[in-house]
């Protein structure tokens, strides 16, 4: 159980890192690239929006299977925790990008207009207004994304992705071992509760300081 838990934490941490690194700039681009944004790129924005919508609409189990060839190209195998990181990350990026876009939408437009009127560039607007003002919402979105990644890592056990999901399927479900199934569920619940509790506390502390 402990080894499977560590594998799950490894998948969630690595997939979370890649998701945040790619999803954050993608969400920013979706925000500023609108026709009424500070850097209008309507064609690129429409293309990125369509890709994100398609990614969000696909069930994750279907995505797991569809990305097997790509996973093999990137990692060299389709089994194990490292291989599972590929579909988990690709499945989570569109979700987090929309969270970022929605968080930036909540920023006061007056602050943006003030920076622009003073000659501020798009980078100044993003770095001095959008991201700092949306930080509590972004942190809450990161927490929500991490919780989702825990669920994705469990589903990755369907294709031998390792972790708690693989343990539950192979040693619990297929062998009719109820204690393993129950233990896996309990550990997953504890992981989700821990992530949510830490995330909520950080959001409250940040909101209080502001």
């Amino acid at each position: 159980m402990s080894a499977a838990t560590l594998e799950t934490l490894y998948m969630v941490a690595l997939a979370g890192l890649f998701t945040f690194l790619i999803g954050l700039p993608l969400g920013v681009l979706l925000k500023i690239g609108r026709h009424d944004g500070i850097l209008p790129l309507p064609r690129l924005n429409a293309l990125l929006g369509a890709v994100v919508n398609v990614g969000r609409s696909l069930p994750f189990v279907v995505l797991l299977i569809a990305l097997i060839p790509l996973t093999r190209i990137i990692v060299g195998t389709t089994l194990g925790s490292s291989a599972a990181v590929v579909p988990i990350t690709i499945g989570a990026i569109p979700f987090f990008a929309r969270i970022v876009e929605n968080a930036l939408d909540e920023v006061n437009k007056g602050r943006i207009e003030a920076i622009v009127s003073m000659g501020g560039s798009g980078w100044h607007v993003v770095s001095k207004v959008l991201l700092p003002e949306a930080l509590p919402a972004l942190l809450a979105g990161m927490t929500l994304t991490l919780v989702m990644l825990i669920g994705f890592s469990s589903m990755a056990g369907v294709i031998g992705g390792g972790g708690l999901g693989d343990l539950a399927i192979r040693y619990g479900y297929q062998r009719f071992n109820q204690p393993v199934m129950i233990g896996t569920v309990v550990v997953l619940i504890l992981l989700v509760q821990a992530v949510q509790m830490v995330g909520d506390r950080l959001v409250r502390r940040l909101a209080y300081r502001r």
Side-chain angles (χ1 to χ4, degrees):
M1 185 74 73
S2 59
T5 303
L6 290 176
E7 288 179 353
T8 294
L9 292 175
Y10 165 77
M11 287 187 286
V12 171
L14 197 56
L17 176 63
F18 289 134
T19 297
F20 298 150
L21 289 178
I22 300 173
L24 180 60
L26 179 57
V28 171
L29 190 56
L30 286 170
K31 165 64 177 177
I32 68 175
R34 298 172 182 171
H35 69 279
D36 59 345
I38 61 174
L39 185 64
L41 297 168
R43 292 185 179 179
L44 178 60
N45 187 267
L47 176 61
L48 291 177
V51 172
V52 167
N53 288 337
V54 169
R56 292 180 62 198
S57 63
L58 290 175
F60 183 64
V61 174
V62 175
L63 193 65
L64 276 173
I65 298 172
L67 291 176
I68 285 177
L70 178 62
T71 302
R72 184 178 289 111
I73 292 174
I74 295 176
V75 184
T77 180
T78 59
L79 300 176
S81 302
S82 296
V85 169
V86 175
I88 292 174
T89 302
I90 293 176
I93 287 174
F95 176 81
F96 183 64
R98 285 301 186 195
I99 286 181
V100 173
E101 182 185 16
N102 292 334
L104 299 181
D105 277 339
E106 300 300 319
V107 176
N108 191 316
K109 293 182 179 180
R111 300 289 301 274
I112 299 175
E113 293 171 355
I115 293 291
V116 173
S117 65
M118 290 187 293
S121 64
W123 169 249
H124 283 110
V125 173
V126 172
S127 61
K128 302 297 184 181
V129 179
L130 287 179
L131 293 180
E133 291 292 324
L135 192 55
L138 290 174
L139 185 56
M142 289 180 178
T143 302
L144 183 62
T145 302
L146 286 174
V147 170
M148 185 187 69
L149 288 174
I150 294 175
F152 279 5
S153 69
S154 300
M155 284 187 278
V158 173
I159 59 170
L164 292 168
D166 186 54
L167 177 68
I169 292 173
R170 287 201 296 166
Y171 297 98
Y173 175 74
Q174 293 180 351
R175 300 187 182 185
F176 304 100
N177 192 329
Q178 281 297 113
V180 171
M181 288 290 294
I182 295 173
T184 302
V185 171
V186 170
V187 173
L188 286 171
I189 291 174
L190 291 176
L191 287 177
V192 169
Q193 291 296 323
V195 170
Q196 192 67 58
M197 182 177 64
V198 172
D200 290 345
R201 182 170 297 180
L202 290 175
V203 170
R204 287 196 299 269
R205 182 175 299 179
L206 184 60
Y208 176 76
R209 289 180 178 178
R210 294 170 65 87

